[in-house]
Amino acid sequence: MCSSDLKNSVLAVSLALAASNATLVSAADLGDTSVKFTGYIKADAMVSNYSEGTLGSGSIGRDFYIPSLTPVSGGDEGTQFDAHIRQSRFRFSTNTPTAEGDEIKGVLELDFIVTSGGDERISNSYTPRVRHAYIQYKEWLVGQTWTTFMDVGSLPESLDFIGTTDGITFGRQVMVRYTNGGLQLALENPETTVTPNGGGSRIVADDNAVPDFVAAYTAKQDWGYVKIAGLVRQLSYDDGSGIDADETSYGVALSGKYKLSSGDDIRFMVNTGQGMGRYSALNAANGAVITADGDLEAIDSTGYAIAYRHLWNDRMRSSFMFSALDIDNDTTLTGLSVTESSYSARANLLYSPTKALTFGAEYAFAHREIEEGLEGDMNRLQVSAKDRKSTRLNSSHRRYL
């Protein structure tokens, strides 16, 4: 990879970003680099009913489903209406051929969810956030993208941001990943989440000394594919005084998609491990709990998810989903206020009058129980409209970005 090729790739991303300032860009200035813009505008509206109170203003659980946030002790039943465009996203990708006949691929993707910004009173402004930012060259990927322990292909087509949240592995982070056919090996950015002894607010330690290691293999066939992934990582916490502890943890995940002859498909995942923490169900359980003598004890968890996608015709389709999570807490250490289990079920109907435009409605039911025995339900009806965009810029075109 020569320096001029790398410069072209960086320049392409920079020029694409300039589009937000209405800059005129000539494709000829990019040399052999091609630039592609994709993304979508998505508007969501939802009515959520909780059996035990409501979620506070600004809670992320009002934008999409998070298992650990279903209220279990609010008392009265409550209903809330929310509308937002925060899932809207844009993605720039570049491809630069090298003198050796290879390609350098660059990706930068942003959206607006899980960020701060203007309130709903006047502006509804939201700060963009980086989802993906990475470079690929030959078998190597360097940068931020989906964790190798996750299987994006097993996610269902859901109006919710994730859908089968209780039973899947999920995360994006910085990594170095090697891919050879179906094999992937990765060193990924570590982070440890800890439950205080006796319970209390989550501790985000940031004390790890070694990266997380993930190995995965995907076997593809005409009927679909199966992926198996393994995770090994160090859980670390040093409070600067009495606690300086490490614990090794692990996880395994099996997932895939099975295509039916009708064009329908079944998507699934099963994951289990000791100390998976933030990798599972959006950190519904922490990786470890502090013991009475200042050590770390990993927390076990198991999750599973399944989704069936049915095509009614060439413009209409539905997905039916179920996911569940079970956490094995040592309550003498964690206390009784931590999540013991959760599950959710969803069904939707999506209609695309044309390929780039989709309207949909989705009903969801979710249930959460904590170790104390308190439990709560969520019923949510969500409707969405999404307009998908795709534009390519290469050396044979000149256009305004």
Side-chain angles (χ1 to χ4, degrees):
M1 177 172 56
C2 64
S3 60
S4 62
D5 293 327
L6 184 57
K7 289 178 180 177
N8 279 340
S9 186
V10 174
L11 174 62
V13 174
S14 300
L15 289 174
L17 288 175
S20 61
N21 294 320
T23 303
L24 174 60
V25 177
S26 170
D29 295 338
L30 302 181
D32 294 330
T33 296
S34 64
V35 180
K36 185 177 182 181
F37 165 73
T38 57
Y40 56 77
I41 305 299
K42 184 169 186 275
D44 291 290
M46 59 195 77
V47 177
S48 305
N49 176 268
Y50 303 96
S51 65
E52 298 294 327
T54 58
L55 294 179
S57 177
S59 171
I60 188 176
R62 295 179 62 162
D63 293 331
F64 64 96
Y65 171 61
I66 296 180
S68 59
L69 294 185
T70 301
V72 295
S73 59
D76 296 332
E77 181 177 343
T79 302
Q80 295 173 313
F81 173 84
D82 293 285
H84 63 83
I85 48 77
R86 304 187 71 174
Q87 287 189 37
S88 301
R89 69 183 60 161
F90 52 98
R91 176 186 181 101
F92 294 100
S93 59
T94 65
N95 276 282
T96 304
T98 70
E100 296 77 21
D102 301 306
E103 281 190 334
I104 307 167
K105 180 180 180 181
V107 170
L108 177 63
E109 181 177 299
L110 301 94
D111 70 1
F112 307 89
I113 208 161
V114 201
T115 64
S116 60
D119 57 41
E120 297 180 33
R121 185 173 57 88
I122 297 175
S123 68
N124 284 273
S125 304
Y126 299 105
T127 306
R129 64 164 185 168
V130 174
R131 286 169 53 84
H132 304 275
Y134 62 85
I135 297 170
Q136 278 183 286
Y137 177 64
K138 294 186 177 180
E139 295 86 7
W140 296 94
L141 179 148
V142 180
Q144 176 171 302
T145 190
W146 300 114
T147 172
T148 313
F149 193 52
M150 178 184 175
D151 180 12
V152 180
S154 68
L155 296 180
E157 188 176 18
S158 171
L159 300 189
D160 182 73
F161 191 55
I162 301 174
T164 49
T165 316
D166 311 79
I168 65 160
T169 57
F170 188 95
R172 288 182 298 271
Q173 56 200 17
V174 175
M175 68 185 69
V176 176
R177 183 163 70 198
Y178 171 79
T179 301
N180 187 345
L183 176 67
Q184 293 183 313
L185 304 173
L187 295 176
E188 305 190 4
N189 187 54
E191 183 62 278
T192 300
T193 55
V194 179
T195 301
N197 184 263
S201 299
R202 170 181 294 134
I203 300 169
V204 182
D206 200 21
D207 291 323
N208 297 80
V210 296
D212 296 349
F213 174 71
V214 183
Y217 185 80
T218 302
K220 297 182 179 180
Q221 300 291 331
D222 293 340
W223 49 262
Y225 75 91
V226 172
K227 176 179 178 177
I228 185 168
L231 165 73
V232 178
R233 67 184 190 128
Q234 177 195 62
L235 304 175
S236 300
Y237 178 49
D238 182 356
D239 68 352
S241 55
I243 301 175
D244 184 4
D246 299 310
E247 177 75 5
T248 300
S249 71
Y250 66 89
V252 293
L254 178 69
S255 59
K257 180 167 70 173
Y258 182 76
K259 301 176 184 178
L260 302 173
S261 58
S262 60
D264 299 355
D265 64 64
I266 298 172
R267 311 178 192 200
F268 64 91
M269 169 171 276
V270 179
N271 64 88
T272 187
Q274 186 177 78
M276 289 191 297
R278 64 188 179 87
Y279 282 94
S280 176
L282 300 184
N283 212 164
N286 290 320
V289 60
I290 301 173
T291 66
D293 56 2
D295 286 331
L296 294 180
E297 181 176 298
I299 299 173
D300 297 352
S301 65
T302 298
Y304 64 91
I306 189 167
Y308 168 59
R309 182 173 182 258
H310 174 66
L311 304 181
W312 299 105
N313 52 51
D314 59 353
R315 296 187 179 185
M316 191 174 296
R317 57 206 181 273
S318 292
S319 288
F320 305 91
M321 303 156 251
F322 181 82
S323 62
L325 171 71
D326 183 72
I327 303 166
D328 185 13
N329 297 293
D330 183 345
T331 55
T332 62
L333 302 177
T334 64
L336 298 176
S337 63
V338 293
T339 300
E340 177 189 16
S341 63
S342 70
Y343 65 84
S344 65
R346 296 176 178 274
N348 62 35
L349 180 64
L350 284 70
Y351 172 68
S352 298
T354 185
K355 184 177 181 180
L357 183 63
T358 298
F359 300 97
E362 181 171 288
Y363 167 72
F365 173 81
H367 178 85
R368 173 180 171 234
E369 183 173 355
I370 65 173
E371 292 288 357
E372 189 177 353
L374 298 175
E375 52 190 339
D377 299 332
M378 180 196 78
N379 289 274
R380 175 172 288 174
L381 178 64
Q382 181 172 352
V383 293
S384 301
K386 183 165 72 172
D387 175 23
R388 187 173 297 275
K389 303 293 185 183
S390 179
T391 301
R392 184 178 297 277
L393 174 66
N394 57 43
S395 58
S396 63
H397 292 79
R398 298 169 65 90
R399 67 177 72 208
Y400 289 96
L401 289 179

